[in-house]
Amino acid sequence: MKIEQSNEIFEVDIEKTKQYYQTHSLCDCAGCRNYFEQVAKKLPNCKEFLSKFGVDIERPDEIGWISCENNTIRYLFVGYTVVGEIIHKTKDSFEIKENEKSYSIIVDNEYIPNEQKGKYFVITINDFSLPWELKEEFPNS
């Protein structure tokens, strides 16, 4: 399926992307579990953007995070795989607004180690924070 987003064009196999997200395993560390627990409700516009590509926001391939003051986790990057290819790209990122904040989403051919054998590209949400919401001790990264 061809997807056009702000003059960018992507060829995406949405069904294969969805199948990928149903089968790949998730990290079980505290920072990742905190992300899985709340990201869909805290970043609904990012969720909507990713779902156009068949991506499940609660099942990323890769997360880089650090614990910060005030029981907050800073997510340096969260990467997702899309089965398909970038046909036409003129800009490096999309800005997605969530209430009063903006999030940078990068779409590129960056490598994420995964099971994909054919064409794929990566969507990454960069540098944002979420509060600690798990009912367990706050991690020290």
Side-chain angles (χ1 to χ4, degrees):
M1 163 184 255
K2 191 173 283 190
I3 296 175
E4 293 188 36
Q5 182 76 34
S6 303
N7 298 321
E8 314 302 295
I9 302 172
F10 310 94
E11 186 65 42
V12 177
D13 189 325
I14 291 176
E15 287 309 310
K16 282 187 180 178
T17 301
K18 285 181 178 180
Q19 288 171 4
Y20 172 74
Y21 283 97
Q22 291 173 357
T23 61
H24 88 284
S25 60
L26 295 173
C27 178
D28 193 36
C29 76
C32 289
R33 286 185 289 109
N34 186 67
Y35 179 84
F36 308 147
E37 178 73 24
Q38 62 183 304
V39 68
K41 65 184 176 223
K42 294 280 175 79
L43 302 179
N45 295 336
C46 288
K47 178 182 176 181
E48 181 181 335
F49 178 88
L50 292 171
S51 69
K52 292 176 188 176
F53 294 86
V55 172
D56 182 344
I57 196 167
E58 295 175 349
R59 299 187 63 83
D61 285 301
E62 186 108 11
I63 297 178
W65 62 272
I66 57 173
S67 53
C68 298
E69 297 176 5
N70 302 325
N71 287 339
T72 300
I73 301 288
R74 181 176 171 198
Y75 293 94
L76 305 172
F77 66 90
V78 181
Y80 299 89
T81 297
V82 177
V83 179
E85 64 182 313
I86 300 169
I87 303 297
H88 177 70
K89 181 177 145 184
T90 60
K91 60 184 179 179
D92 292 330
S93 66
F94 296 92
E95 293 299 317
I96 306 292
K97 293 199 184 285
E98 301 283 0
N99 297 318
E100 298 172 11
K101 296 181 181 179
S102 274
Y103 299 92
S104 174
I105 295 183
I106 296 173
V107 180
D108 63 18
N109 288 317
E110 176 181 315
Y111 171 77
I112 284 185
N114 61 40
E115 298 84 30
Q116 296 303 318
K117 302 281 189 270
K119 294 180 181 178
Y120 74 94
F121 58 93
V122 176
I123 298 177
T124 306
I125 306 172
N126 281 327
D127 202 11
F128 62 97
S129 296
L130 292 173
W132 181 250
E133 289 194 353
L134 297 182
K135 304 282 188 251
E136 59 189 70
E137 188 174 328
F138 184 70
N140 293 318
S141 58

